[in-house]
Amino acid sequence: MVRPPHDLIERLSEDLRPVKPLSAGRLLGLALVFAAVTLIWVVSLYGMRPELSDPERALAQARFALLKPLLWGWAGLSALHAANALSRPEGRCHWSDLAPLPVILLSHGLALWWEVSHAGWEAATAGGFGGAALCGLTIILSAWVAMRLVTPLWLSRTASSQPRLLRLCAALGFAGLAAAAYALHCPMDQPLYTLCVYLPAIGMILLIES
């Protein structure tokens, strides 16, 4: 005797239990823990940049010493906000959540153009690329480890209609937070350095996670 389809479906699904989705607050908590661990790693191994280790100098020379970490932190948290929105079937990624990365790219591109047009290419490259490998490896390794940890804790509890975009937004979020932590150590404020070191490192982790 052939069972009716609906009876068969009920028998197959009777042991299923709904998976409780991870809340946005818990995702933010994971992100903050990750940022704190990365910051401790950077500060303990590499040290803070001179302007930030001296409070008086930090107040007097805080333009890029604080602006750069804030920019990358904004980019990271905005991308994680997009990932949280995408975690639901009806979720959509709003353009404003991904706006920080184009803003960083455009602002540094314009700053580089201004510097080259007024002071020449030699001035734009005068700072060199000291610590480029360390910067890139810190961002890539930190974000990669974070994605390995967050996948079973958070990504497995999502029901996204765009899982690939969700994963890329999560990777961008953790890479941005790692860049913010490293920026508290990095004294290289030249636009060319950001364009040639920070952005390629973030692009690499996105390629790995795509």
Side-chain angles (χ1 to χ4, degrees):
M1 176 178 170
V2 179
R3 293 180 180 275
H6 65 273
D7 187 38
L8 180 61
I9 292 173
E10 288 179 0
R11 288 178 62 84
L12 290 173
S13 61
E14 64 183 4
D15 292 330
L16 296 178
R17 298 290 183 270
V19 176
K20 184 179 179 180
L22 194 60
S23 66
R26 291 185 181 179
L27 174 62
L28 179 60
L30 286 172
L32 293 178
V33 169
F34 164 76
V37 170
T38 307
L39 180 59
I40 292 171
W41 171 27
V42 168
V43 172
S44 60
L45 290 183
Y46 314 146
M48 295 282 280
R49 59 183 293 168
E51 299 94 320
L52 296 179
S53 58
D54 184 346
E56 292 184 3
R57 293 182 65 186
L59 293 175
Q61 305 175 15
R63 185 177 58 166
F64 282 108
L66 295 178
L67 179 60
K68 192 166 61 170
L70 288 175
L71 277 175
W72 287 120
W74 173 42
L77 291 176
S78 294
L80 289 176
H81 184 268
N84 180 68
L86 289 166
S87 65
R88 303 169 185 81
E90 73 282 1
R92 294 294 180 269
C93 179
H94 197 269
W95 67 267
S96 61
D97 290 328
L98 301 180
L101 200 58
V103 167
I104 292 173
L105 178 61
L106 181 61
S107 62
H108 283 75
L110 290 174
L112 177 61
W113 169 80
W114 179 268
E115 191 172 22
V116 170
S117 62
H118 286 77
W121 186 252
E122 293 77 10
T125 58
F129 292 93
L134 186 63
C135 175
L137 285 174
T138 300
I139 293 172
I140 293 171
L141 183 60
S142 299
W144 184 85
V145 170
M147 288 299 293
R148 303 287 79 75
L149 295 175
V150 81
T151 295
L153 289 174
W154 188 75
L155 292 180
S156 61
R157 299 188 180 189
T158 64
S160 177
S161 58
Q162 303 179 73
R164 187 176 183 182
L165 181 58
L166 166 64
R167 191 173 186 86
L168 288 175
C169 286
L172 175 59
F174 287 109
L177 292 179
Y182 187 82
L184 291 171
H185 154 76
C186 179
M188 309 297 286
D189 296 326
Q190 299 87 343
L192 187 64
Y193 194 91
T194 296
L195 295 173
C196 293
V197 178
Y198 281 84
L199 288 176
I202 291 175
M204 181 60 69
I205 193 64
L206 293 180
L207 183 62
I208 292 171
E209 298 297 335
S210 62

